[in-house]
Amino acid sequence: MMLEEAVSAADCVALQLANDADRYAALGHHLRSTAFHNAVTVARGSSDHASSYLAYLIMARMGRLVTSLPMSLVTLYKAPLQAAGLLAVSVSQSGQSPDVVEPIHYFRAGGATTVALVNDIDSPLAHEAEWALPLRAGKEQSVAATKSFIASLTAGARLVAEWQQDDELKAGLAALPDALRRAAQTDWSAALEVLTPARNIMVVGRGISFPIALEAALKFKETSALQAEAFSGAEIKHGPMALIDEGYPLLIFATRGPAQAGLVALADEMRGRGARVLLAAPADVPSRDLELPVAACPDLDPIVAIAAFYVMAAHLSEARGLDPDKPRHLNKVTRTH
């Protein structure tokens, strides 16, 4: 199911893009006409990684600072957070967990603009938010989120495209389903030789590619029982460098943009230290080990990159003798307070 759902993400995104245009446009108009100084995201797990991608777009394009909320500040510590003039965006597949629902209720009651990007539009989260926008990924059977994550990234990019009224980003989104179909056919079999016997791995990104490094590390843990940690390319030379020795595997996502050159150089340096590097980069990077598919504009590249990764991750789980649809000790919906 994980593989089937990952491959189906292109159709889910096409369905999302074909719906709710007026609602996104109205939200974009509201965001442009409201003086937000900052924003906060409310999410867990893969949805939090999607929120990190949205936060990067908002900060880079709209100039607003974005914070990922530690939900316990609301649910346990009852902190007197100031909500007036705040944009609060929650991302969720199920919309069920109390520690996601309660902060949105709190922020809306305090005067914030609240947005829920949620797959289950009849969920408690959708009912609490002022603006609830369906991901339209359909029911997800696999415990490991794939198509809902890709739909979450897409919804975040749609929100920013309408807020900014950026025609290039809008055109890139329109072309995204075809880019995702191509991504699902990308051959990453070279990664299986390195990762099937591996015990641990570092996943590296920077800037707009860091959220997908976080997501890839989570999926390695969930579906392949592989101890994986994600690091920014700017941080790996601090403490993490001490762990890298001969044969240590590194997966580096070098998507297009200002951070790419540094990540390619990092891959070269780590090879010199004996690491087993898997550099995922576009076709025009000669030193790549895995080819990264690209979207119509660079800010959408992480969406097609993670689609290629998911296909490989499903095959890797099986190669390691596991069932990617039944990760150990995990449930589809997690409710925390």
Side-chain angles (χ1 to χ4, degrees), residues 194 197-200 202 240-250 269-277:
V194 176
R199 297 180 61 186
N200 46 29
M202 288 187 194
M241 183 75 82
L243 295 174
I244 298 174
D245 54 13
E246 190 71 28
Y248 196 105
L250 290 170
E269 180 179 345
M270 293 300 101
R271 288 191 189 99
R273 291 176 177 267
R276 192 71 185 273
V277 174

Side-chain angles (χ1 to χ4, degrees), residues 29 46 67 82 90 128 192 206-207 210 221 282 289 309:
H29 180 269
S46 290
T67 300
Q82 301 300 304
S90 184
E128 287 292 350
L192 299 180
R206 192 177 183 191
F210 185 56
K221 288 188 281 258
D289 301 283
F309 168 84

Side-chain angles (χ1 to χ4, degrees), residues 3 30 47 50 64 121 124 141 147 193 225 233 249 265 274 292 310 330:
L3 180 59
H30 173 76
S47 294
R64 306 313 199 273
I121 201 62
Q141 301 289 344
K147 63 178 183 175
E193 178 186 349
L292 273 185
Y310 281 152
L330 297 176

Side-chain angles (χ1 to χ4, degrees), residues 102-117:
E102 188 176 332
I104 291 300
H105 174 83
Y106 175 90
F107 288 131
R108 185 174 183 180
T113 291
T114 52
V115 178
L117 306 178

Side-chain angles (χ1 to χ4, degrees), residues 158-293:
R158 284 184 83 184
L159 183 157
V160 173
E162 290 295 341
W163 185 358
Q164 192 179 23
Q165 291 191 306
D166 185 279
D167 290 336
E168 180 186 5
L169 188 55
K170 290 180 182 181
L173 283 162
L176 193 54
D178 286 340
L180 285 167
R181 291 185 184 99
R182 292 192 298 271
Q185 302 302 316
T186 304
D187 182 8
W188 274 28
S189 57
L192 299 180
E193 178 186 349
V194 176
L195 299 179
T196 299
R199 297 180 61 186
N200 46 29
I201 186 172
M202 288 187 194
V203 190
V204 183
R206 192 177 183 191
I208 203 165
S209 70
F210 185 56
I212 60 168
L214 290 166
E215 172 64 9
L218 177 61
K219 287 299 183 288
F220 278 138
K221 288 188 281 258
E222 281 183 330
T223 63
S224 283
L226 181 59
Q227 179 61 48
E229 291 187 86
F231 292 99
S232 164
E235 294 291 339
I236 199 167
K237 292 185 180 180
H238 293 241
M241 183 75 82
L243 295 174
I244 298 174
D245 54 13
E246 190 71 28
Y248 196 105
L250 290 170
L251 172 59
I252 300 177
F253 285 98
T255 58
R256 293 179 296 172
Q260 185 187 68
L263 291 167
V264 172
L266 176 68
D268 290 338
E269 180 179 345
M270 293 300 101
R271 288 191 189 99
R273 291 176 177 267
R276 192 71 185 273
V277 174
L278 292 168
L279 173 63
D284 62 352
V285 177
S287 61
R288 70 188 183 283
D289 301 283
L290 306 169
E291 184 170 328
L292 273 185

